[in-house]
Short mmCIF file of all heavy atoms in Angstrom, two decimals:
data_model
loop_
_atom_site.label_atom_id
_atom_site.label_comp_id
_atom_site.label_asym_id
_atom_site.label_seq_id
_atom_site.Cartn_x
_atom_site.Cartn_y
_atom_site.Cartn_z
N MET A 24 17.27 -130.10 -110.17
CA MET A 24 16.26 -130.36 -111.15
C MET A 24 16.85 -131.11 -112.36
O MET A 24 16.11 -131.61 -113.17
CB MET A 24 15.63 -129.07 -111.63
CG MET A 24 15.04 -128.21 -110.55
SD MET A 24 13.87 -129.14 -109.56
CE MET A 24 14.06 -128.34 -108.02
N CYS A 25 18.16 -131.17 -112.42
CA CYS A 25 18.81 -131.83 -113.55
C CYS A 25 19.30 -133.23 -113.21
O CYS A 25 19.76 -133.94 -114.09
CB CYS A 25 20.00 -130.99 -114.02
SG CYS A 25 19.54 -129.36 -114.60
N TYR A 26 19.23 -133.62 -111.95
CA TYR A 26 19.76 -134.93 -111.54
C TYR A 26 18.75 -136.03 -111.81
O TYR A 26 17.56 -135.89 -111.54
CB TYR A 26 20.12 -134.91 -110.05
CG TYR A 26 20.64 -136.22 -109.56
CD1 TYR A 26 21.87 -136.69 -109.97
CD2 TYR A 26 19.89 -137.01 -108.70
CE1 TYR A 26 22.36 -137.90 -109.52
CE2 TYR A 26 20.37 -138.22 -108.24
CZ TYR A 26 21.60 -138.66 -108.65
OH TYR A 26 22.07 -139.86 -108.22
N SER A 27 19.24 -137.12 -112.31
CA SER A 27 18.41 -138.29 -112.55
C SER A 27 18.97 -139.45 -111.71
O SER A 27 20.09 -139.89 -111.95
CB SER A 27 18.44 -138.67 -114.04
OG SER A 27 17.78 -139.88 -114.24
N PRO A 28 18.23 -139.95 -110.73
CA PRO A 28 18.76 -140.97 -109.83
C PRO A 28 18.75 -142.39 -110.39
O PRO A 28 19.17 -143.32 -109.71
CB PRO A 28 17.85 -140.88 -108.62
CG PRO A 28 16.56 -140.41 -109.17
CD PRO A 28 16.92 -139.48 -110.30
N SER A 29 18.30 -142.58 -111.60
CA SER A 29 18.26 -143.93 -112.15
C SER A 29 19.67 -144.45 -112.40
O SER A 29 20.61 -143.69 -112.61
CB SER A 29 17.45 -143.96 -113.45
OG SER A 29 18.16 -143.31 -114.48
N SER A 30 19.83 -145.74 -112.36
CA SER A 30 21.16 -146.34 -112.53
C SER A 30 21.72 -146.14 -113.94
O SER A 30 22.93 -146.17 -114.13
CB SER A 30 21.12 -147.82 -112.18
OG SER A 30 20.20 -148.49 -113.03
N GLN A 31 20.87 -145.91 -114.90
CA GLN A 31 21.34 -145.70 -116.27
C GLN A 31 21.78 -144.25 -116.51
O GLN A 31 22.66 -144.01 -117.34
CB GLN A 31 20.25 -146.04 -117.30
CG GLN A 31 19.94 -147.51 -117.42
CD GLN A 31 18.95 -147.96 -116.37
OE1 GLN A 31 18.27 -147.16 -115.74
NE2 GLN A 31 18.87 -149.27 -116.16
N ASN A 32 21.19 -143.28 -115.83
CA ASN A 32 21.44 -141.87 -116.15
C ASN A 32 22.13 -141.08 -115.05
O ASN A 32 22.39 -139.89 -115.24
CB ASN A 32 20.10 -141.18 -116.45
CG ASN A 32 19.40 -141.79 -117.64
OD1 ASN A 32 20.03 -142.33 -118.53
ND2 ASN A 32 18.09 -141.72 -117.63
N ALA A 33 22.44 -141.67 -113.92
CA ALA A 33 22.97 -140.91 -112.79
C ALA A 33 24.32 -140.28 -113.13
O ALA A 33 24.54 -139.10 -112.89
CB ALA A 33 23.10 -141.80 -111.56
N TRP A 34 25.24 -141.05 -113.68
CA TRP A 34 26.57 -140.52 -113.98
C TRP A 34 26.49 -139.39 -115.00
O TRP A 34 27.15 -138.36 -114.84
CB TRP A 34 27.48 -141.62 -114.50
CG TRP A 34 28.90 -141.16 -114.57
CD1 TRP A 34 29.82 -141.25 -113.58
CD2 TRP A 34 29.54 -140.52 -115.67
NE1 TRP A 34 31.01 -140.70 -114.00
CE2 TRP A 34 30.87 -140.25 -115.29
CE3 TRP A 34 29.13 -140.14 -116.95
CZ2 TRP A 34 31.78 -139.62 -116.11
CZ3 TRP A 34 30.05 -139.52 -117.77
CH2 TRP A 34 31.36 -139.26 -117.36
N GLU A 35 25.69 -139.57 -116.03
CA GLU A 35 25.56 -138.53 -117.06
C GLU A 35 24.95 -137.25 -116.49
O GLU A 35 25.37 -136.15 -116.85
CB GLU A 35 24.71 -139.02 -118.24
CG GLU A 35 25.39 -140.07 -119.10
CD GLU A 35 25.14 -141.48 -118.59
OE1 GLU A 35 24.39 -141.65 -117.62
OE2 GLU A 35 25.72 -142.42 -119.18
N SER A 36 23.98 -137.39 -115.60
CA SER A 36 23.36 -136.19 -115.05
C SER A 36 24.32 -135.45 -114.12
O SER A 36 24.36 -134.22 -114.11
CB SER A 36 22.06 -136.53 -114.33
OG SER A 36 22.29 -137.34 -113.20
N VAL A 37 25.13 -136.17 -113.35
CA VAL A 37 26.13 -135.52 -112.50
C VAL A 37 27.19 -134.84 -113.37
O VAL A 37 27.62 -133.72 -113.07
CB VAL A 37 26.77 -136.52 -111.53
CG1 VAL A 37 27.96 -135.92 -110.80
CG2 VAL A 37 25.74 -137.01 -110.53
N TYR A 38 27.59 -135.48 -114.43
CA TYR A 38 28.55 -134.88 -115.35
C TYR A 38 27.99 -133.59 -115.95
O TYR A 38 28.68 -132.58 -116.04
CB TYR A 38 28.91 -135.86 -116.47
CG TYR A 38 29.89 -135.28 -117.46
CD1 TYR A 38 31.25 -135.33 -117.21
CD2 TYR A 38 29.46 -134.67 -118.63
CE1 TYR A 38 32.16 -134.79 -118.10
CE2 TYR A 38 30.35 -134.12 -119.52
CZ TYR A 38 31.71 -134.19 -119.25
OH TYR A 38 32.60 -133.64 -120.13
N TYR A 39 26.73 -133.63 -116.32
CA TYR A 39 26.09 -132.44 -116.88
C TYR A 39 26.05 -131.30 -115.86
O TYR A 39 26.38 -130.16 -116.18
CB TYR A 39 24.67 -132.78 -117.36
CG TYR A 39 23.90 -131.56 -117.80
CD1 TYR A 39 24.14 -130.99 -119.05
CD2 TYR A 39 22.96 -130.97 -116.98
CE1 TYR A 39 23.44 -129.87 -119.46
CE2 TYR A 39 22.25 -129.85 -117.37
CZ TYR A 39 22.51 -129.30 -118.62
OH TYR A 39 21.83 -128.17 -119.02
N ILE A 40 25.67 -131.62 -114.62
CA ILE A 40 25.61 -130.59 -113.58
C ILE A 40 26.99 -130.01 -113.33
O ILE A 40 27.16 -128.80 -113.22
CB ILE A 40 25.01 -131.17 -112.29
CG1 ILE A 40 23.53 -131.52 -112.50
CG2 ILE A 40 25.17 -130.21 -111.12
CD1 ILE A 40 22.93 -132.33 -111.38
N GLN A 41 28.00 -130.86 -113.23
CA GLN A 41 29.35 -130.43 -112.90
C GLN A 41 30.01 -129.63 -114.02
O GLN A 41 30.66 -128.63 -113.76
CB GLN A 41 30.22 -131.64 -112.58
CG GLN A 41 31.65 -131.32 -112.23
CD GLN A 41 31.81 -130.72 -110.85
OE1 GLN A 41 31.04 -131.00 -109.95
NE2 GLN A 41 32.80 -129.88 -110.70
N ASN A 42 29.84 -130.04 -115.26
CA ASN A 42 30.63 -129.49 -116.36
C ASN A 42 29.88 -128.61 -117.34
O ASN A 42 30.49 -127.79 -118.02
CB ASN A 42 31.31 -130.62 -117.12
CG ASN A 42 32.26 -131.39 -116.24
OD1 ASN A 42 33.08 -130.80 -115.54
ND2 ASN A 42 32.14 -132.69 -116.24
N GLU A 43 28.58 -128.76 -117.45
CA GLU A 43 27.86 -128.02 -118.48
C GLU A 43 26.85 -127.01 -117.92
O GLU A 43 26.61 -125.98 -118.54
CB GLU A 43 27.15 -129.00 -119.41
CG GLU A 43 28.15 -129.89 -120.16
CD GLU A 43 27.47 -130.89 -121.05
OE1 GLU A 43 26.32 -130.64 -121.47
OE2 GLU A 43 28.10 -131.91 -121.34
N LEU A 44 26.25 -127.28 -116.79
CA LEU A 44 25.27 -126.39 -116.20
C LEU A 44 25.96 -125.18 -115.61
O LEU A 44 26.96 -125.30 -114.91
CB LEU A 44 24.49 -127.12 -115.11
CG LEU A 44 23.30 -126.41 -114.52
CD1 LEU A 44 22.20 -126.24 -115.56
CD2 LEU A 44 22.75 -127.19 -113.34
N GLN A 45 25.44 -124.00 -115.90
CA GLN A 45 26.04 -122.78 -115.39
C GLN A 45 25.92 -122.74 -113.87
O GLN A 45 24.84 -122.81 -113.31
CB GLN A 45 25.36 -121.56 -115.99
CG GLN A 45 25.98 -120.25 -115.59
CD GLN A 45 25.31 -119.08 -116.28
OE1 GLN A 45 24.32 -119.22 -116.98
NE2 GLN A 45 25.87 -117.90 -116.06
N GLY A 46 27.06 -122.63 -113.18
CA GLY A 46 27.10 -122.61 -111.73
C GLY A 46 26.98 -123.99 -111.09
O GLY A 46 26.93 -124.09 -109.87
N GLY A 47 26.95 -125.02 -111.88
CA GLY A 47 26.83 -126.37 -111.34
C GLY A 47 28.03 -126.78 -110.51
O GLY A 47 27.89 -127.44 -109.48
N TRP A 48 29.21 -126.38 -110.92
CA TRP A 48 30.42 -126.68 -110.15
C TRP A 48 30.36 -126.02 -108.78
O TRP A 48 30.78 -126.60 -107.78
CB TRP A 48 31.67 -126.22 -110.91
CG TRP A 48 31.67 -124.74 -111.16
CD1 TRP A 48 31.12 -124.08 -112.22
CD2 TRP A 48 32.20 -123.73 -110.29
NE1 TRP A 48 31.29 -122.73 -112.08
CE2 TRP A 48 31.95 -122.48 -110.90
CE3 TRP A 48 32.86 -123.75 -109.08
CZ2 TRP A 48 32.34 -121.27 -110.33
CZ3 TRP A 48 33.24 -122.55 -108.51
CH2 TRP A 48 32.98 -121.32 -109.14
N LEU A 49 29.79 -124.81 -108.71
CA LEU A 49 29.65 -124.11 -107.44
C LEU A 49 28.63 -124.82 -106.55
O LEU A 49 28.86 -125.01 -105.35
CB LEU A 49 29.24 -122.66 -107.67
CG LEU A 49 29.05 -121.81 -106.43
CD1 LEU A 49 30.35 -121.68 -105.66
CD2 LEU A 49 28.51 -120.45 -106.81
N LEU A 50 27.53 -125.21 -107.12
CA LEU A 50 26.49 -125.92 -106.38
C LEU A 50 27.03 -127.20 -105.77
O LEU A 50 26.85 -127.47 -104.58
CB LEU A 50 25.31 -126.23 -107.30
CG LEU A 50 24.16 -127.02 -106.68
CD1 LEU A 50 23.44 -126.17 -105.65
CD2 LEU A 50 23.21 -127.48 -107.76
N ARG A 51 27.74 -127.99 -106.56
CA ARG A 51 28.30 -129.24 -106.04
C ARG A 51 29.39 -128.98 -105.03
O ARG A 51 29.55 -129.72 -104.06
CB ARG A 51 28.83 -130.10 -107.18
CG ARG A 51 27.69 -130.66 -108.03
CD ARG A 51 28.12 -131.83 -108.85
NE ARG A 51 28.41 -132.97 -108.00
CZ ARG A 51 29.37 -133.85 -108.24
NH1 ARG A 51 30.12 -133.75 -109.30
NH2 ARG A 51 29.57 -134.86 -107.43
N GLY A 52 30.19 -127.93 -105.23
CA GLY A 52 31.25 -127.60 -104.30
C GLY A 52 30.71 -127.18 -102.94
O GLY A 52 31.20 -127.62 -101.90
N VAL A 53 29.68 -126.35 -102.94
CA VAL A 53 29.07 -125.91 -101.69
C VAL A 53 28.42 -127.09 -100.98
O VAL A 53 28.54 -127.26 -99.77
CB VAL A 53 28.05 -124.78 -101.94
CG1 VAL A 53 27.21 -124.50 -100.71
CG2 VAL A 53 28.76 -123.52 -102.41
N HIS A 54 27.75 -127.95 -101.74
CA HIS A 54 27.12 -129.13 -101.16
C HIS A 54 28.16 -130.03 -100.51
O HIS A 54 27.97 -130.52 -99.38
CB HIS A 54 26.36 -129.89 -102.26
CG HIS A 54 25.60 -131.06 -101.75
ND1 HIS A 54 26.15 -132.32 -101.68
CD2 HIS A 54 24.34 -131.18 -101.29
CE1 HIS A 54 25.25 -133.16 -101.19
NE2 HIS A 54 24.15 -132.49 -100.95
N HIS A 55 29.28 -130.24 -101.18
CA HIS A 55 30.35 -131.08 -100.63
C HIS A 55 30.93 -130.46 -99.37
O HIS A 55 31.12 -131.14 -98.35
CB HIS A 55 31.44 -131.27 -101.68
CG HIS A 55 32.65 -131.98 -101.16
ND1 HIS A 55 32.67 -133.33 -100.93
CD2 HIS A 55 33.86 -131.52 -100.80
CE1 HIS A 55 33.85 -133.67 -100.46
NE2 HIS A 55 34.60 -132.58 -100.36
N PHE A 56 31.22 -129.16 -99.41
CA PHE A 56 31.81 -128.48 -98.27
C PHE A 56 30.88 -128.53 -97.06
O PHE A 56 31.31 -128.81 -95.93
CB PHE A 56 32.14 -127.03 -98.63
CG PHE A 56 32.68 -126.24 -97.48
CD1 PHE A 56 33.98 -126.42 -97.05
CD2 PHE A 56 31.87 -125.34 -96.81
CE1 PHE A 56 34.47 -125.70 -95.97
CE2 PHE A 56 32.35 -124.62 -95.74
CZ PHE A 56 33.66 -124.81 -95.31
N MET A 57 29.61 -128.25 -97.26
CA MET A 57 28.67 -128.23 -96.14
C MET A 57 28.43 -129.63 -95.58
O MET A 57 28.22 -129.78 -94.37
CB MET A 57 27.36 -127.59 -96.57
CG MET A 57 27.52 -126.13 -96.93
SD MET A 57 28.58 -125.24 -95.80
CE MET A 57 27.41 -124.54 -94.71
N ALA A 58 28.47 -130.66 -96.41
CA ALA A 58 28.33 -132.02 -95.90
C ALA A 58 29.52 -132.37 -95.01
O ALA A 58 29.35 -132.99 -93.94
CB ALA A 58 28.23 -133.00 -97.06
N GLN A 59 30.72 -131.98 -95.41
CA GLN A 59 31.91 -132.23 -94.60
C GLN A 59 31.84 -131.42 -93.30
O GLN A 59 32.22 -131.92 -92.23
CB GLN A 59 33.17 -131.87 -95.37
CG GLN A 59 33.38 -132.70 -96.61
CD GLN A 59 33.54 -134.18 -96.28
OE1 GLN A 59 34.23 -134.54 -95.35
NE2 GLN A 59 32.89 -135.02 -97.04
N ALA A 60 31.37 -130.18 -93.38
CA ALA A 60 31.26 -129.34 -92.19
C ALA A 60 30.27 -129.94 -91.20
O ALA A 60 30.49 -129.91 -89.98
CB ALA A 60 30.84 -127.93 -92.58
N MET A 61 29.20 -130.51 -91.70
CA MET A 61 28.20 -131.10 -90.81
C MET A 61 28.77 -132.31 -90.07
O MET A 61 28.50 -132.50 -88.88
CB MET A 61 26.96 -131.50 -91.60
CG MET A 61 25.82 -131.92 -90.77
SD MET A 61 24.38 -132.14 -91.81
CE MET A 61 23.14 -132.36 -90.59
N VAL A 62 29.57 -133.10 -90.75
CA VAL A 62 30.19 -134.27 -90.12
C VAL A 62 31.13 -133.83 -89.00
O VAL A 62 31.24 -134.49 -87.97
CB VAL A 62 30.95 -135.11 -91.18
CG1 VAL A 62 31.84 -136.15 -90.54
CG2 VAL A 62 29.96 -135.76 -92.13
N VAL A 63 31.79 -132.69 -89.16
CA VAL A 63 32.70 -132.18 -88.13
C VAL A 63 31.94 -131.49 -87.01
O VAL A 63 32.25 -131.67 -85.83
CB VAL A 63 33.73 -131.22 -88.78
CG1 VAL A 63 34.55 -130.51 -87.73
CG2 VAL A 63 34.62 -131.97 -89.75
N LEU A 64 30.94 -130.69 -87.35
CA LEU A 64 30.25 -129.88 -86.35
C LEU A 64 29.28 -130.66 -85.47
O LEU A 64 29.05 -130.26 -84.31
CB LEU A 64 29.52 -128.72 -87.03
CG LEU A 64 30.42 -127.68 -87.67
CD1 LEU A 64 29.60 -126.65 -88.41
CD2 LEU A 64 31.30 -127.02 -86.64
N LEU A 65 28.72 -131.73 -85.95
CA LEU A 65 27.77 -132.50 -85.15
C LEU A 65 28.42 -133.08 -83.90
O LEU A 65 27.87 -132.91 -82.80
CB LEU A 65 27.11 -133.59 -85.99
CG LEU A 65 26.03 -134.39 -85.28
CD1 LEU A 65 24.86 -133.49 -84.89
CD2 LEU A 65 25.55 -135.51 -86.16
N PRO A 66 29.57 -133.75 -83.98
CA PRO A 66 30.19 -134.24 -82.74
C PRO A 66 30.63 -133.10 -81.81
O PRO A 66 30.55 -133.24 -80.58
CB PRO A 66 31.41 -135.04 -83.21
CG PRO A 66 31.17 -135.33 -84.63
CD PRO A 66 30.28 -134.26 -85.15
N ILE A 67 31.06 -131.98 -82.38
CA ILE A 67 31.44 -130.83 -81.54
C ILE A 67 30.21 -130.32 -80.79
O ILE A 67 30.30 -130.01 -79.60
CB ILE A 67 32.08 -129.73 -82.39
CG1 ILE A 67 33.43 -130.19 -82.93
CG2 ILE A 67 32.23 -128.44 -81.61
CD1 ILE A 67 34.05 -129.26 -83.95
N HIS A 68 29.09 -130.25 -81.45
CA HIS A 68 27.86 -129.80 -80.80
C HIS A 68 27.43 -130.77 -79.70
O HIS A 68 27.03 -130.35 -78.60
CB HIS A 68 26.74 -129.64 -81.83
CG HIS A 68 25.43 -129.29 -81.23
ND1 HIS A 68 25.19 -128.11 -80.57
CD2 HIS A 68 24.28 -129.98 -81.19
CE1 HIS A 68 23.94 -128.09 -80.15
NE2 HIS A 68 23.37 -129.22 -80.51
N MET A 69 27.51 -132.06 -79.96
CA MET A 69 27.12 -133.04 -78.96
C MET A 69 28.05 -132.97 -77.74
O MET A 69 27.61 -133.11 -76.61
CB MET A 69 27.12 -134.45 -79.55
CG MET A 69 25.97 -134.70 -80.51
SD MET A 69 24.35 -134.30 -79.83
CE MET A 69 24.28 -135.38 -78.44
N LEU A 70 29.33 -132.74 -77.97
CA LEU A 70 30.28 -132.57 -76.87
C LEU A 70 29.92 -131.34 -76.05
O LEU A 70 29.96 -131.37 -74.81
CB LEU A 70 31.70 -132.47 -77.42
CG LEU A 70 32.80 -132.37 -76.38
CD1 LEU A 70 32.83 -133.62 -75.52
CD2 LEU A 70 34.13 -132.16 -77.06
N GLN A 71 29.52 -130.27 -76.71
CA GLN A 71 29.11 -129.05 -76.02
C GLN A 71 27.88 -129.32 -75.15
O GLN A 71 27.80 -128.84 -74.01
CB GLN A 71 28.80 -127.95 -77.02
CG GLN A 71 28.27 -126.68 -76.40
CD GLN A 71 27.72 -125.72 -77.43
OE1 GLN A 71 27.63 -126.04 -78.60
NE2 GLN A 71 27.34 -124.55 -76.97
N VAL A 72 26.94 -130.07 -75.65
CA VAL A 72 25.72 -130.40 -74.89
C VAL A 72 26.08 -131.20 -73.64
O VAL A 72 25.57 -130.93 -72.55
CB VAL A 72 24.73 -131.18 -75.78
CG1 VAL A 72 23.63 -131.81 -74.95
CG2 VAL A 72 24.15 -130.28 -76.84
N ILE A 73 26.99 -132.14 -73.77
CA ILE A 73 27.38 -132.97 -72.63
C ILE A 73 28.17 -132.16 -71.61
O ILE A 73 27.92 -132.24 -70.41
CB ILE A 73 28.19 -134.19 -73.12
CG1 ILE A 73 27.27 -135.13 -73.90
CG2 ILE A 73 28.84 -134.92 -71.95
CD1 ILE A 73 27.98 -136.22 -74.65
N VAL A 74 29.11 -131.34 -72.08
CA VAL A 74 29.94 -130.54 -71.17
C VAL A 74 29.09 -129.54 -70.40
O VAL A 74 29.27 -129.34 -69.19
CB VAL A 74 31.06 -129.83 -71.95
CG1 VAL A 74 31.73 -128.77 -71.11
CG2 VAL A 74 32.08 -130.83 -72.45
N GLU A 75 28.14 -128.89 -71.06
CA GLU A 75 27.32 -127.88 -70.40
C GLU A 75 26.14 -128.46 -69.64
O GLU A 75 25.43 -127.73 -68.96
CB GLU A 75 26.81 -126.87 -71.44
CG GLU A 75 27.93 -126.03 -72.02
CD GLU A 75 27.43 -124.99 -72.99
OE1 GLU A 75 26.20 -124.92 -73.22
OE2 GLU A 75 28.26 -124.24 -73.51
N GLY A 76 25.93 -129.76 -69.73
CA GLY A 76 24.85 -130.40 -68.99
C GLY A 76 23.48 -130.03 -69.48
O GLY A 76 22.54 -129.90 -68.68
N ALA A 77 23.32 -129.87 -70.77
CA ALA A 77 22.03 -129.46 -71.33
C ALA A 77 20.99 -130.58 -71.27
O ALA A 77 19.84 -130.35 -71.59
CB ALA A 77 22.21 -129.02 -72.78
N TYR A 78 21.37 -131.74 -70.81
CA TYR A 78 20.43 -132.85 -70.70
C TYR A 78 19.81 -132.93 -69.31
O TYR A 78 18.96 -133.77 -69.05
CB TYR A 78 21.15 -134.17 -71.01
CG TYR A 78 22.39 -134.39 -70.18
CD1 TYR A 78 22.30 -135.02 -68.96
CD2 TYR A 78 23.62 -133.93 -70.61
CE1 TYR A 78 23.42 -135.20 -68.18
CE2 TYR A 78 24.75 -134.11 -69.85
CZ TYR A 78 24.65 -134.74 -68.63
OH TYR A 78 25.76 -134.92 -67.87
N LYS A 79 20.20 -132.04 -68.41
CA LYS A 79 19.69 -132.05 -67.03
C LYS A 79 18.46 -131.15 -66.90
O LYS A 79 18.19 -130.32 -67.76
CB LYS A 79 20.79 -131.57 -66.08
CG LYS A 79 22.01 -132.46 -66.08
CD LYS A 79 23.09 -131.90 -65.18
CE LYS A 79 24.34 -132.73 -65.28
NZ LYS A 79 25.45 -132.12 -64.53
N LYS A 80 17.75 -131.33 -65.80
CA LYS A 80 16.56 -130.50 -65.55
C LYS A 80 16.95 -129.05 -65.52
O LYS A 80 18.03 -128.72 -65.04
CB LYS A 80 15.92 -130.89 -64.22
CG LYS A 80 15.08 -132.13 -64.32
CD LYS A 80 14.28 -132.30 -63.05
CE LYS A 80 13.35 -133.48 -63.26
NZ LYS A 80 12.38 -133.63 -62.23
N PRO A 81 16.17 -128.15 -65.98
CA PRO A 81 14.82 -128.23 -66.54
C PRO A 81 14.83 -128.38 -68.06
O PRO A 81 13.79 -128.26 -68.68
CB PRO A 81 14.21 -126.89 -66.13
CG PRO A 81 15.34 -125.93 -66.20
CD PRO A 81 16.54 -126.74 -65.75
N ARG A 82 15.99 -128.63 -68.67
CA ARG A 82 16.08 -128.68 -70.14
C ARG A 82 16.04 -130.08 -70.70
O ARG A 82 16.32 -130.30 -71.87
CB ARG A 82 17.36 -127.98 -70.60
CG ARG A 82 17.36 -126.51 -70.29
CD ARG A 82 18.65 -125.90 -70.68
NE ARG A 82 19.52 -125.97 -69.52
CZ ARG A 82 20.81 -125.70 -69.52
NH1 ARG A 82 21.40 -125.36 -70.62
NH2 ARG A 82 21.52 -125.78 -68.42
N GLU A 83 15.71 -131.07 -69.89
CA GLU A 83 15.75 -132.45 -70.36
C GLU A 83 14.74 -132.72 -71.47
O GLU A 83 15.03 -133.50 -72.39
CB GLU A 83 15.51 -133.41 -69.20
CG GLU A 83 14.13 -133.25 -68.58
CD GLU A 83 14.04 -133.87 -67.22
OE1 GLU A 83 14.22 -135.09 -67.12
OE2 GLU A 83 13.79 -133.13 -66.28
N ILE A 84 13.57 -132.10 -71.42
CA ILE A 84 12.55 -132.30 -72.48
C ILE A 84 13.08 -131.76 -73.80
O ILE A 84 12.95 -132.41 -74.84
CB ILE A 84 11.22 -131.65 -72.08
CG1 ILE A 84 10.64 -132.38 -70.87
CG2 ILE A 84 10.24 -131.68 -73.24
CD1 ILE A 84 9.43 -131.71 -70.27
N ASN A 85 13.69 -130.60 -73.76
CA ASN A 85 14.27 -130.01 -74.97
C ASN A 85 15.37 -130.91 -75.53
O ASN A 85 15.51 -131.08 -76.74
CB ASN A 85 14.81 -128.62 -74.66
CG ASN A 85 15.15 -127.85 -75.89
OD1 ASN A 85 14.62 -128.13 -76.96
ND2 ASN A 85 16.01 -126.87 -75.75
N PHE A 86 16.16 -131.49 -74.64
CA PHE A 86 17.23 -132.41 -75.06
C PHE A 86 16.66 -133.61 -75.80
O PHE A 86 17.13 -133.98 -76.87
CB PHE A 86 18.04 -132.84 -73.85
CG PHE A 86 19.06 -133.90 -74.15
CD1 PHE A 86 20.23 -133.57 -74.80
CD2 PHE A 86 18.85 -135.22 -73.79
CE1 PHE A 86 21.18 -134.54 -75.08
CE2 PHE A 86 19.80 -136.20 -74.06
CZ PHE A 86 20.96 -135.85 -74.71
N TRP A 87 15.62 -134.23 -75.22
CA TRP A 87 15.05 -135.43 -75.86
C TRP A 87 14.30 -135.08 -77.14
O TRP A 87 14.28 -135.88 -78.08
CB TRP A 87 14.15 -136.17 -74.88
CG TRP A 87 14.97 -136.85 -73.83
CD1 TRP A 87 14.99 -136.55 -72.50
CD2 TRP A 87 15.91 -137.91 -74.02
NE1 TRP A 87 15.90 -137.36 -71.86
CE2 TRP A 87 16.47 -138.20 -72.77
CE3 TRP A 87 16.34 -138.63 -75.13
CZ2 TRP A 87 17.45 -139.19 -72.59
CZ3 TRP A 87 17.31 -139.62 -74.96
CH2 TRP A 87 17.84 -139.89 -73.70
N LEU A 88 13.71 -133.91 -77.22
CA LEU A 88 13.06 -133.50 -78.47
C LEU A 88 14.10 -133.27 -79.56
O LEU A 88 13.82 -133.46 -80.74
CB LEU A 88 12.23 -132.24 -78.26
CG LEU A 88 10.94 -132.43 -77.47
CD1 LEU A 88 10.28 -131.07 -77.21
CD2 LEU A 88 10.00 -133.36 -78.18
N GLY A 89 15.29 -132.87 -79.16
CA GLY A 89 16.37 -132.68 -80.13
C GLY A 89 16.84 -133.98 -80.75
O GLY A 89 17.36 -133.99 -81.87
N TRP A 90 16.67 -135.09 -80.08
CA TRP A 90 17.06 -136.39 -80.63
C TRP A 90 16.08 -136.90 -81.67
O TRP A 90 16.42 -137.73 -82.49
CB TRP A 90 17.17 -137.42 -79.51
CG TRP A 90 18.45 -137.36 -78.78
CD1 TRP A 90 18.65 -136.88 -77.53
CD2 TRP A 90 19.73 -137.80 -79.24
NE1 TRP A 90 19.97 -136.98 -77.19
CE2 TRP A 90 20.65 -137.54 -78.21
CE3 TRP A 90 20.20 -138.37 -80.41
CZ2 TRP A 90 22.00 -137.84 -78.34
CZ3 TRP A 90 21.54 -138.67 -80.53
CH2 TRP A 90 22.43 -138.41 -79.51
N CYS A 91 14.84 -136.41 -81.62
CA CYS A 91 13.80 -136.89 -82.55
C CYS A 91 14.01 -136.38 -83.95
O CYS A 91 14.55 -135.41 -84.24
CB CYS A 91 12.43 -136.47 -82.07
SG CYS A 91 12.00 -137.23 -80.50
#
């Protein structure tokens, strides 16, 4: 609620969240950690789907719905 995406105020709003807002450092830290975790876990999950053959019948519809 404190972030301003405009090009004039973005840096100041991030600085405010990180340094002045109570718990802002924690919020940004968790966001950063979870974004990195998602980048790692997505390929691992896709490898699991391929290895286990989750794209074959009768689960093929579920597989294609997962891509949407």
Side-chain angles (χ1 to χ4, degrees):
M24 304 306 149
C25 299
Y26 179 69
S27 173
S29 70
S30 60
Q31 290 84 16
N32 299 332
W34 191 89
E35 289 88 3
S36 64
V37 171
Y38 179 85
Y39 174 78
I40 293 169
Q41 179 74 30
N42 298 312
E43 297 179 24
L44 188 66
Q45 184 177 5
W48 61 272
L49 180 63
L50 177 69
R51 289 199 68 215
V53 169
H54 184 270
H55 173 76
F56 176 76
M57 296 317 265
Q59 298 298 317
M61 189 172 189
V62 168
V63 171
L64 292 175
L65 184 63
I67 292 171
H68 175 64
M69 288 307 301
L70 183 62
Q71 176 191 6
V72 167
I73 291 169
V74 167
E75 293 183 359
Y78 54 89
K79 298 177 185 174
K80 281 191 174 189
R82 295 177 269 170
E83 63 197 298
I84 294 172
N85 192 23
F86 173 75
W87 288 114
L88 288 174
W90 278 106
C91 296

